[in-house]
Amino acid sequence: MDNFPTGKPHISFSEVKQWKECPYRHKLVYIDKIDTFEPSPYLDFGTAVHEGCENLLETKSVDREKLLKDIRESWEKNGFDDPEWVKKQPGWYKYVPVDEWCQWAENMWNDIPDFLDKTFPGWETVKAEEELYEDISGKDIKFKGFIDAIIKVPKKRGEGFNYWILDWKTAQSYGWRRQKKQDILMTAQLILYKHFWSRKHNIPLKDVRCGFILL
């Protein structure tokens, strides 16, 4: 392990992605341990939405009061509604008040059950938020990751199940542009999750499928 630059016993997809996008930024964050974190409404909104999706898979309900409170408290703490904070944001940032963010979250949670029922008839929850911590063949390091959702869906001919590895993504109303859909760094995330999850549970790759769900 001494020859792995970060000194950690594992590596994650997000680390690989950051290295591919900018090796120098990867060095600053993972090797030099320089904290580059900045509060973001997108991050806090996504965290709350993901927790709601996890609730839906585990209990078929969402603790909306708690999660919407989390969003509002984050906005108050970080000043995301403060005009001075908004002025400092990049030109592409479009300000939206917290009430609208909360409505978006509610809309997403409302749509998910019907979407899953129509897209995956007969689906059942296998696991919400499953951790991976698996050996990498030929390397003295592990792959670490968190899968948002795993469901199983009866095969059409009634011969067992197909397992779906799903990743929730909050997105613009128009979805992803073609360039993003074809970005190998996006698809690589689920490729890695599929490989390591199928190996972890000894399920044939042919029975494991994966996809992003754009909320």
Side-chain angles (χ1 to χ4, degrees):
M1 189 56 59
D2 292 340
N3 62 353
F4 196 71
T6 65
K8 297 188 301 182
H10 58 259
I11 189 169
S12 66
F13 168 74
S14 59
E15 182 177 344
V16 173
K17 183 174 184 289
Q18 189 155 122
W19 179 79
K20 288 288 289 182
E21 290 175 340
C22 179
Y24 183 67
R25 187 170 70 233
H26 172 274
K27 175 182 181 294
L28 294 177
V29 174
Y30 291 97
I31 298 175
D32 298 340
K33 314 296 184 186
I34 296 175
D35 185 4
T36 60
F37 174 79
E38 293 184 7
S40 164
Y42 299 106
L43 178 61
D44 291 338
F45 174 76
T47 298
V49 168
H50 274 64
E51 186 174 341
C53 294
E54 184 178 344
N55 292 167
L56 279 171
L57 262 66
E58 292 180 336
T59 67
K60 307 299 183 186
S61 64
V62 178
D63 189 347
R64 296 168 187 256
E65 183 177 350
K66 182 263 183 188
L67 293 175
L68 294 177
K69 181 182 177 183
D70 287 348
I71 292 175
R72 293 183 184 280
E73 287 181 347
S74 172
W75 258 243
E76 183 175 354
K77 175 184 176 181
N78 295 298
F80 296 146
D81 271 340
D82 186 336
E84 292 304 314
W85 182 87
V86 175
K87 285 181 184 178
K88 297 176 183 177
Q89 303 316 300
W92 52 260
Y93 178 75
K94 183 179 179 181
Y95 167 73
V96 176
V98 67
D99 286 345
E100 194 160 343
W101 287 89
C102 288
Q103 187 60 60
W104 288 342
E106 294 232 59
N107 292 343
M108 292 173 182
W109 296 325
N110 290 340
D111 287 347
I112 288 171
D114 283 345
F115 170 81
L116 291 177
D117 289 343
K118 291 176 182 177
T119 309
F120 307 104
W123 70 275
E124 298 176 40
T125 299
V126 175
K127 183 75 174 177
E129 193 70 18
E130 178 171 350
E131 181 178 10
L132 296 172
Y133 201 74
E134 309 302 313
D135 292 331
I136 298 176
S137 301
K139 303 291 182 182
D140 185 25
I141 193 169
K142 292 182 179 290
F143 176 80
K144 181 178 181 179
F146 290 90
I147 300 175
D148 286 345
I150 304 101
I151 63 174
K152 62 180 182 180
V153 182
K155 293 183 178 180
K156 292 183 178 180
R157 296 183 180 179
E159 302 171 351
F161 296 91
N162 285 318
Y163 294 83
W164 279 86
I165 291 173
L166 303 176
D167 193 88
W168 312 109
K169 296 292 187 187
T170 52
Q172 299 287 346
S173 59
Y174 52 76
W176 282 352
R177 300 188 186 279
R178 181 178 179 182
Q179 182 180 5
K180 192 163 187 176
K181 291 179 180 178
Q182 296 177 341
D183 183 358
I184 185 60
L185 282 181
M186 292 301 300
T187 56
Q189 179 182 6
L190 291 188
I191 291 170
L192 289 169
Y193 286 176
K194 174 177 178 175
H195 169 76
F196 287 107
W197 187 84
S198 66
R199 195 173 70 180
K200 175 181 178 180
H201 294 281
N202 196 28
I203 294 175
L205 281 171
K206 66 180 181 64
D207 293 332
V208 182
R209 303 180 181 185
C210 48
F212 294 109
I213 297 183
L214 304 188
L215 305 173

